[in-house]
């Protein structure tokens, strides 16, 4: 029996609803999730309630990385950004399978590397690039994960994820909209000119995209 076939009986299809909390910071991780559709945000929170996104998970990865790294808690909060569905598994089952080595371990470690690249590049991006560049990068990344040019997102939510003031997002979104790259209407965003949006984005988008493209090819 292959590594993957052993896991099939332990997988359960579940729905992911917008704003659903997958786990809170410091909580024991009872289950891990492999999204099939939808997007989950990993965010770091401050004492004053402010937050910033440090990772995005969709059908390229898993939610609950600490489980395979020897822990059962995390310092980040995970919640659903775009609704969808996922395969849920008991965290202990995955940990046991991972510790046996083999294809599952190799694939998950490769994913951890990709997630680390995204985290590291995101830190540099937040420090050196403008809100407009970061917004373009973020919209392209979300579009890649949902595999659509249209998705529901509010400016308030985007501001929280980028860790900036809502007014900054409003100005940046207005610029992208005025030049015909995106359309923003009633909490819904459409990418109209992906080529120009990619040109506006910082180099971080291409670095992250290349890493995850390589992951999906392996």
């Amino acid at each position: 029996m292959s590594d993957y076939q052993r896991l099939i009986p332990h997988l359960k299809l579940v729905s992911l609803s917008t704003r659903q909390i997958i786990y809170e910071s410091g909580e024991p991780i009872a289950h891990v999730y492999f999204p099939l559709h939808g997007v989950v945000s990993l965010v770091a929170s401050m004492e004053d309630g402010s937050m910033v996104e440090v990772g995005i998970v969709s059908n390229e990865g898993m939610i609950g990385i600490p489980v395979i790294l020897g822990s059962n808690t995390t310092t980040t909060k995970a919640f659903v950004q775009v609704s969808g569905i996922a395969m849920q598994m008991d965290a202990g089952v995955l940990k046991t399978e991972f510790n046996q080595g083999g294809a599952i371990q190799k694939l998950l470690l490769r994913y951890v590397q990709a997630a680390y690249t995204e985290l590291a590049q995101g830190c540099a991006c937040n420090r050196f690039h403008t809100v407009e560049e970061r917004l373009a990068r973020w919209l392209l990344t979300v579009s890649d994960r949902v595999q659509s040019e249209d998705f529901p997102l509010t400016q308030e939510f985007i501001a929280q994820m980028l860790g900036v003031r809502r007014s900054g997002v409003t100005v940046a979104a207005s610029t992208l909209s005025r030049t015909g790259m995106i359309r923003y209407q009633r909490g819904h965003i459409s990418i109209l000119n992906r080529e120009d949006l990619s040109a506006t984005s910082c180099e971080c988008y291409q670095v992250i995209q290349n890493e995850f493209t390589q992951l999906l090819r392996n």
Side-chain angles (χ1 to χ4, degrees):
M1 181 180 295
S2 72
D3 296 352
Y4 301 108
Q5 288 175 322
R6 281 199 302 272
L7 296 179
I8 291 176
H10 302 285
L11 293 169
K12 176 184 177 182
L13 186 65
V14 296
S15 297
L16 302 175
S17 56
T18 303
R19 296 285 180 166
Q20 174 186 344
I21 297 175
I22 304 299
Y23 54 68
E24 292 277 8
S25 170
E27 277 188 356
I29 301 175
H31 298 93
V32 296
Y33 297 80
F34 300 91
L36 302 177
H37 301 288
V39 178
V40 174
S41 289
L42 306 180
V43 299
S45 302
M46 302 294 104
E47 289 183 354
D48 63 0
S50 60
M51 63 179 70
V52 64
E53 186 176 72
V54 296
I56 298 178
V57 186
S58 190
N59 62 1
E60 81 296 331
M62 67 168 283
I63 306 157
I65 284 180
V67 169
I68 63 173
L69 299 180
S71 179
N72 70 335
T73 62
T74 178
T75 58
T76 58
K77 174 181 179 179
F79 69 94
V80 179
Q81 179 186 127
V82 179
S83 62
I85 56 176
M87 301 305 295
Q88 180 193 73
M89 179 187 295
D90 181 85
V93 172
L94 181 65
K95 185 174 182 178
T96 298
E97 181 65 36
F98 179 84
N99 289 337
Q100 292 182 24
I104 296 295
Q105 184 186 84
K106 181 179 179 180
L107 180 61
L108 290 177
L109 287 177
R110 181 66 186 85
Y111 171 65
V112 170
Q113 171 62 34
Y116 174 79
T117 297
E118 181 178 42
L119 174 61
Q121 200 68 36
C123 290
C125 186
N126 290 344
R127 172 62 179 85
F128 294 112
H129 297 138
T130 67
V131 174
E132 186 177 317
E133 290 173 321
R134 292 164 57 195
L135 176 59
R137 185 260 303 174
W138 193 76
L139 292 176
L140 288 167
T141 300
V142 173
S143 175
D144 289 341
R145 303 297 171 86
V146 299
Q147 299 179 343
S148 174
E149 306 285 78
D150 302 275
F151 38 88
L153 286 174
T154 65
Q155 288 192 13
E156 179 181 7
F157 181 78
I158 295 172
Q160 288 181 326
M161 295 303 94
L162 294 180
V164 299
R165 294 181 182 277
R166 182 175 176 178
S167 59
V169 172
T170 299
V171 172
S174 295
T175 300
L176 298 181
S177 180
R178 189 169 56 252
T179 54
M181 294 183 225
I182 68 169
R183 180 173 59 241
Y184 176 78
Q185 189 174 25
R186 296 180 180 179
H188 192 91
I189 288 180
S190 299
I191 295 177
L192 304 179
N193 190 327
R194 191 178 185 89
E195 183 177 351
D196 284 356
L197 192 63
S198 296
T200 300
S201 173
C202 53
E203 69 267 26
C204 300
Y205 168 67
Q206 198 61 54
V207 172
I208 295 171
Q209 183 190 46
N210 289 344
E211 185 70 18
F212 279 96
T213 297
Q214 188 62 37
L215 169 67
L216 294 174
R217 284 176 180 171
N218 291 340

